[in-house]
Amino acid sequence: MDQPISLKIAKIEKEAEGIKTYWFNHDLKAKPGQFVMLWIPGFDEKPISVAYSDEKKFALTVSAVGPATRHLSKMKLGESVGILGPLGTHYKIPKDKHLVMVAGGYGAAPLYFATLEALKKGCKVDFIVGARNKKLLLYVNRLKKTKARVHIATNDGSAGYKGFVTGVLNNICQKSKPFEIMTCGPEMMEYAVFEIAEKYKTRCQISIERYM
């Protein structure tokens, strides 16, 4: 899509404290790992990862962290936003392999999309989702409805493994070396995931965010 289009918000779901998923009835033709530029009229334009996309609809999971996204969080069904995309590169998902998804914070959204595609291709998926505490965990209930094996890590131990997602990843790799690791989240976490991938000589795909 070369030109932005105006789309109405078709559905809103609360994911966690200050985080909502917005659904739009439109065939975005996005692939896992791609993003859109989301324009909130009268405020600003922000890059947002695509959390889901099929022939009829797509979803964006957004945290209210600034003036534009806080205004978005107050918008209602039927109100319109601008969408430009899909943009960027995407995860390359193999067939019939063992994959480990490592998600920190908002990284759970694009990796959930990648997981759905991987399961369609016959992959075995371990999904590690991490957050500071259980109130900030994203997509756990959605993931539990899939065939992926879900692993939870929280910094304070309020849910699942107490510690970082890398601790869980290291345990999985010790038991059975995966074909590939895919990760999205804070850059320091991603670097730690990369080091584990290097240690076990495992392929690794990393989604890097940059201010635009």
Side-chain angles (χ1 to χ4, degrees), residues 146-164:
T146 73
K147 292 183 179 180
R149 292 193 297 185
V150 183
H151 310 265
I152 295 171
T154 51
N155 295 7
D156 64 359
S158 53
Y161 174 85
K162 183 177 181 180
F164 300 132

Side-chain angles (χ1 to χ4, degrees), residues 107-143:
L111 286 177
Y112 167 75
F113 185 15
T115 293
L116 295 180
E117 294 303 307
L119 292 172
K120 288 178 186 176
K121 292 188 173 185
C123 292
K124 168 188 169 185
V125 178
D126 280 281
F127 195 110
I128 309 170
V129 56
R132 294 194 303 275
N133 59 63
K134 65 180 181 180
K135 291 183 179 179
L136 298 175
L137 287 167
L138 287 181
Y139 276 62
V140 173
N141 291 334
R142 295 181 193 274
L143 286 161

Side-chain angles (χ1 to χ4, degrees), residues 8-28:
K8 291 181 179 181
I9 300 171
K11 184 179 179 181
I12 303 173
E13 294 178 295
K14 182 176 179 180
E15 298 291 346
E17 188 176 331
I19 303 172
K20 295 178 181 179
T21 294
Y22 301 84
W23 292 83
F24 303 89
N25 294 328
H26 177 74
D27 182 6
L28 187 66

